[in-house]
Amino acid sequence: YHPGRVLVCKSNNDILGIVGEMHPAILSKYNIDGRVAFLEWEFSALVALIGHGRVYTSPSPYPAVKRDVSFVAPQAVKYAELITAIGKADPLIQNVELFDKYSGAGIPSDHQSLAFHISYADSNKTLTSEEADQAHNKLLKMLDQKFNAKIRT
């Protein structure tokens, strides 16, 4: 392995796999030019995490409506709790992606600014702007009430 360019993926104390870059000396020995990455997974450990009874759900044939939300929240707010609450704020929320996190000038020292892309979709129809706005407003209200998040405009 190339030092500093390898990651051991773990869950609890179980090694799930290794991902990284091969050491240049190994590549040179086999006359391989360039960089080579590798991925090795411990299948039995990975399967144990997947669980049973999972069902594949095909993507909706209807387009998602995307909205961004940016807010300031206390530093004490945990990302896992926040992302779970956002996902449950409305059934139309299909995807949540953090795209910016900032603390520093202009933000109180005990707060952080977070920004998310939110995708709204219905598997049975194309959403109207009004339906997406209604779900988005429900999300904004939940962020304020549950996390004391102040929306940035």
Side-chain angles (χ1 to χ4, degrees), residues 22-37:
M22 296 299 299
H23 195 284
I26 300 294
L27 299 177
S28 175
K29 183 177 179 179
Y30 293 98
N31 296 319
I32 299 172
D33 293 329
R35 297 166 69 180
V36 175

Side-chain angles (χ1 to χ4, degrees), residues 17-97:
I18 302 171
V19 61
E21 187 175 326
M22 296 299 299
H23 195 284
I26 300 294
L27 299 177
S28 175
K29 183 177 179 179
Y30 293 98
N31 296 319
I32 299 172
D33 293 329
R35 297 166 69 180
V36 175
F38 65 91
L39 170 68
E40 178 183 349
W41 285 107
E42 185 62 43
F43 188 72
S44 59
L46 193 59
V47 169
L49 292 176
I50 293 172
H52 303 285
R54 302 260 174 158
V55 177
Y56 169 77
T57 304
S58 62
S60 173
Y62 303 102
V65 176
K66 297 184 180 187
R67 298 279 191 270
D68 290 343
V69 61
S70 179
F71 55 90
V72 176
Q75 285 281 0
V77 171
K78 304 258 188 292
Y79 176 77
E81 187 179 336
L82 180 64
I83 201 83
T84 300
I86 290 173
K88 291 180 178 179
D90 191 275
L92 296 178
I93 295 175
Q94 299 298 309
N95 191 41
V96 180
E97 178 186 356

Side-chain angles (χ1 to χ4, degrees), residues 122-142:
D122 188 321
S123 60
N124 298 313
K125 65 177 185 158
T126 299
L127 291 177
T128 64
S129 288
E130 292 79 18
E131 290 168 324
D133 288 344
Q134 185 178 17
H136 194 68
N137 289 335
K138 187 175 173 183
L139 168 65
L140 300 180
K141 185 176 179 181
M142 181 279 298

